[in-house]
Amino acid sequence: METTDRSMIGSASSHIPTDWFAIDWRRVQQNVRVMQIRLTKATQEGDWRRVKALQRSLTRSFSAKALAVKRVTENQGKRTAGVDRELWGTAQQKFAAIARLKKQGYRPLPLRRVFIPKSNGKMRPLGIPTMRDRAMQALYLLALDPILETLSDPNSYGFRKNRSTADAMSQIFVKMSMKVSAQWVLDADIEGFFDNINHNWMLDNVCMDRSILRKWLKSGVVDRAQLLATTAGTPQGGIISPALANWTLNGLESQLIEHLNAKWGVTKVRGFKVGVIRYADDFVVTGASQEFLETEIRPWVEAFLAQRGLRLAQSKTKIVHIDEGFDFLGWNFRKYSGKLLIKPSKKNVKTFYEKLRDVVGSNLGLKQADLIRLLNPILRGWAQYHCPVVAKEAFTRIDGLLFWRLMRWAKRRHPSKNMGWIRQKYWHSVDARSWVFAAEVYDENGNGELKELYSLARTPIKRHKKIVGKYHPYDPYWEKYGETLRQERMLDKMRYRKEWVKLYVCQRGMCALCGCEMDVETGWHDHHIVYRVAGGTDVLGNRVLLHPACHTQVHSLGLKLVKPASE
């Protein structure tokens, strides 16, 4: 019989939960975190025998299995089925799935191949596992991630907790902004990264159950009703794929520095001004000279990648001077008269405007208020991504282009009306600002308010606070730092909705139902304690923030919440 973690039950009960809603999720997360902290300590001490024992214990525990099922049934892919067309939509299915997560007799099904468009017009293949295989990957990721974080390079920022593209951007600024900084960059691109990782290398080096990993790597893929074997690579689309990708490229920074120190000596290496900044499979290497990057760094990088079955894309990999500039993660890095400026790249700006044009062009018959609701999240998301850099010029340009696109949209709706009539109907004066694209909307009580289009040009530019490179999310030493960082970034994401900021602070960053942390990854919903249809108002005293899944649970079960007290 499967081992069950009885300690995950709340203090008022000692029996095993009998249904999905009886699980104490806060206790579940605490139990898993305790095991992950122990895994981190054992890894730091190099006690690999203990690491394997702790991994085995964690992947067999009820808490980890329940958390794995919760993750795959509450993320964006919860409605995307694998080849078996099975989904876990009900509480009964979710609870029954916990017992199915066991190693004995486990055999993953092939992946379902789907294609999504890339920015260059080509199609990117994704491999969609079944719900059970996704849950198994989430389960084993809980045991792999603490080890991965312990061994990761300090300037690796992709698919890691509390790290983002903005952190990678900030690190490049640190390495190249001063007059004495490195002036040359190896802008690298790996050819077919996810498709070409050597399976044997992963089986020999990834610290997890080899038999389970082998089954995932060799599970095959169903493409256009044909079963194809997988002999190399790890599919994009699996929950554990980003972790395996990071594991493959770990050491690119640390091993390179060790190699240079052993060959040239620590003092001389400082003069080479070498720095490696990586986000997933995209990375740049800084250096003092073009010759050094060409003759010393690039051959070492190629040899490092060759061991893993990878190689650089010759057509896209180049060595450039900072005065010439380079694009990385949607930004352009370039020095103008000795001053480093980071701007949205021309390609990124063009792609974004094409998206806006498609949205407006495909919704010619939509009401103005509905079009604004459609455009605002797109505009706000792009603005939040670029607001830490020199983006005012790009913001203003996009606002101007969008204005004329909306003018054409309005003119098409009213071909016989003149400009003055169209301006009076669709554009208003708001807070001393004229020509604001806005529409009057009304609530259930008939109260009207003006809903305006988000203005990119009015977005404040705010320098990003970079994460400390040594930060470890599973090390108790960094607990306070991580908590402060998480809350600061959540409040920054909410700065456009001051009410959410007040609710988040009042709840101390915790979900009002399950008591677990809310962050950018989990998301949040604004819930009215007394429903508006029952006479509830929008005042803060009648609202709480919940996880999206907890919000669904409150409505489906008719739960009654109370306002949490702030400290």
Side-chain angles (χ1 to χ4, degrees):
M1 183 177 178
E2 182 184 3
T3 302
T4 303
D5 181 5
R6 295 175 178 270
S7 64
M8 55 73 59
I9 309 302
S11 57
S13 176
S14 60
H15 65 277
I16 300 173
T18 56
D19 64 79
W20 182 256
F21 295 123
I23 299 175
D24 183 348
W25 291 110
R26 190 170 187 176
R27 193 66 176 271
V28 162
Q29 288 196 340
Q30 288 174 347
N31 290 336
V32 171
R33 181 159 182 83
V34 166
M35 291 293 289
Q36 290 176 323
I37 290 173
R38 293 173 64 189
L39 265 169
T40 298
K41 184 178 180 181
T43 306
Q44 291 170 339
E45 294 173 352
D47 190 348
W48 299 108
R49 185 173 181 178
R50 186 161 169 253
V51 166
K52 289 184 178 181
L54 289 170
Q55 282 186 311
R56 189 162 51 248
S57 178
L58 179 58
T59 53
R60 292 177 179 179
S61 70
F62 184 94
S63 292
K65 292 179 180 181
L67 203 59
V69 173
K70 186 174 190 288
R71 173 173 178 174
V72 302
T73 54
E74 294 181 0
N75 61 15
Q76 293 182 347
K78 63 184 179 182
R79 295 186 180 91
T80 305
V83 293
D84 61 354
R85 300 297 177 182
E86 180 182 1
L87 294 175
W88 298 339
T90 67
Q92 292 78 10
Q93 290 173 325
K94 296 175 186 178
F95 191 76
I98 297 175
R100 297 175 60 189
L101 303 186
K102 51 188 177 182
K103 178 181 176 180
Q104 185 178 5
Y106 171 65
R107 190 178 186 86
L109 293 176
L111 306 168
R112 181 166 70 90
R113 173 68 54 82
V114 297
F115 294 89
I116 60 173
K118 298 170 65 174
S119 58
N120 59 6
K122 297 181 180 179
M123 302 299 288
R124 183 191 305 277
L126 294 183
I128 308 300
T130 64
M131 291 294 292
R132 186 190 181 195
D133 293 337
R134 267 178 267 173
M136 285 291 285
Q137 290 186 14
L139 174 63
Y140 278 85
L141 180 59
L142 291 172
L144 177 65
D145 204 41
I147 306 168
L148 178 60
E149 285 289 343
T150 305
L151 303 178
S152 288
D153 293 327
N155 291 306
S156 164
Y157 298 100
F159 306 114
R160 295 177 62 190
K161 290 182 182 295
N162 292 331
R163 296 180 185 239
S164 65
T165 53
D167 291 310
M169 175 271 296
S170 299
Q171 179 62 19
I172 294 178
F173 185 84
V174 169
K175 295 294 293 184
M176 307 198 74
S177 59
M178 296 185 292
K179 290 183 178 179
V180 296
S181 297
Q183 300 296 306
W184 291 88
V185 172
L186 171 63
D187 183 10
D189 184 271
I190 301 176
E191 185 176 337
F193 174 71
F194 282 93
D195 297 329
N196 295 313
I197 305 175
N198 185 279
H199 283 181
N200 291 332
W201 186 92
M202 279 195 285
L203 291 170
D204 291 338
N205 291 275
V206 178
C207 188
M208 65 168 289
D209 190 302
R210 291 187 63 183
S211 63
I212 294 292
L213 179 58
R214 181 182 289 105
K215 289 177 180 179
W216 287 336
L217 296 177
K218 305 296 184 182
S219 62
V221 60
V222 175
D223 186 6
R224 299 178 181 89
Q226 289 187 342
L227 178 61
L228 306 176
T230 48
T231 58
T234 177
Q236 299 182 66
I239 286 179
I240 206 169
S241 295
L244 296 179
N246 271 335
W247 194 288
T248 301
L249 293 180
N250 267 344
L252 187 62
E253 178 184 3
S254 57
Q255 292 180 28
L256 174 59
I257 299 301
E258 289 177 7
H259 164 75
L260 294 176
N261 287 339
K263 183 175 181 179
W264 300 93
V266 176
T267 304
K268 194 170 183 179
V269 168
R270 290 198 189 103
F272 296 150
K273 302 173 184 177
V274 176
V276 181
I277 300 94
R278 179 169 66 86
Y279 187 90
D281 60 321
D282 295 322
F283 66 94
V284 296
V285 185
T286 64
S289 69
Q290 181 181 14
E291 181 184 3
F292 179 73
L293 289 174
E294 188 68 57
T295 60
E296 187 70 35
I297 301 298
R298 183 164 180 166
W300 186 92
V301 170
E302 290 175 340
F304 175 89
L305 295 177
Q307 293 177 358
R308 294 150 175 79
L310 304 170
R311 63 180 181 179
L312 295 175
Q314 301 301 320
S315 60
K316 297 181 180 180
T317 301
K318 55 186 182 295
I319 297 175
V320 297
H321 194 275
I322 191 60
D323 290 344
E324 178 185 349
F326 64 96
D327 291 347
F328 187 64
L329 300 176
W331 292 298
N332 178 261
F333 300 78
R334 183 178 176 184
K335 274 191 175 180
Y336 299 82
S337 302
K339 185 175 183 179
L340 179 62
L341 296 183
I342 307 172
K343 303 179 181 182
S345 68
K346 292 181 179 179
K347 180 181 177 182
N348 186 274
V349 173
K350 181 180 179 181
T351 302
F352 180 68
Y353 175 64
E354 292 294 332
K355 181 178 182 180
L356 293 178
R357 188 171 68 174
D358 290 343
V359 170
V360 175
S362 58
N363 291 280
L364 297 175
L366 210 59
K367 292 182 179 179
Q368 184 187 15
D370 294 332
L371 181 62
I372 292 173
R373 290 191 186 97
L374 199 60
L375 288 172
N376 275 356
I378 301 173
L379 292 166
R380 187 177 290 113
W382 194 72
Q384 286 185 335
Y385 186 84
H386 290 293
C387 68
V389 303
V390 184
K392 277 293 184 182
E393 182 180 345
F395 287 169
T396 303
R397 181 167 177 264
I398 290 293
D399 268 353
L401 292 171
L402 183 58
F403 169 82
W404 289 110
R405 180 59 53 184
L406 293 172
M407 183 62 74
R408 294 190 194 99
W409 173 86
K411 185 67 176 174
R412 187 184 181 100
R413 292 166 67 91
H414 310 281
S416 61
K417 300 295 184 180
N418 60 34
M419 183 73 76
W421 187 92
I422 290 176
R423 188 257 188 218
Q424 188 174 7
K425 180 173 178 61
Y426 292 103
W427 278 267
H428 303 268
S429 295
V430 181
D431 299 333
R433 292 178 291 126
S434 58
W435 291 94
V436 177
F437 191 75
E440 193 81 19
V441 294
Y442 299 90
D443 59 17
E444 296 89 342
N445 300 321
N447 300 318
E449 64 171 340
L450 207 60
K451 186 175 185 62
E452 61 182 271
L453 185 72
Y454 180 82
S455 172
L456 291 173
R458 299 184 71 220
T459 302
I461 302 299
K462 182 180 179 181
R463 178 68 62 84
H464 177 76
K465 183 179 179 181
K466 179 185 171 296
I467 194 170
V468 175
K470 296 181 180 179
Y471 168 71
H472 195 310
Y474 302 105
D475 191 334
Y477 174 82
W478 293 97
E479 182 75 24
K480 184 178 179 181
Y481 173 83
E483 182 70 15
T484 303
L485 183 70
R486 179 180 66 86
Q487 293 188 9
E488 287 179 352
R489 293 189 174 180
M490 274 289 286
L491 294 176
D492 187 55
K493 289 289 183 183
M494 293 177 172
R495 67 171 179 255
Y496 302 103
R497 292 291 297 271
K498 295 181 180 179
E499 298 95 340
W500 286 351
V501 172
K502 293 178 181 178
L503 291 173
Y504 184 80
V505 172
C506 175
Q507 296 174 210
R508 301 185 297 279
M510 304 296 181
C511 173
L513 180 65
C514 69
C516 298
E517 295 178 351
M518 290 182 297
D519 54 27
V520 178
E521 184 177 338
T522 64
W524 64 90
H525 281 178
D526 189 348
H527 172 72
H528 289 72
I529 298 173
V530 178
Y531 299 166
R532 282 178 291 185
V533 294
T537 65
D538 288 333
V539 298
L540 294 182
N542 189 46
R543 292 157 60 191
V544 291
L545 297 181
L546 303 169
H547 290 131
C550 293
H551 194 198
T552 302
Q553 183 177 340
V554 167
H555 281 277
S556 62
L557 297 181
L559 302 178
K560 299 298 181 182
L561 297 177
V562 294
K563 185 74 176 179
S566 60
E567 289 184 342

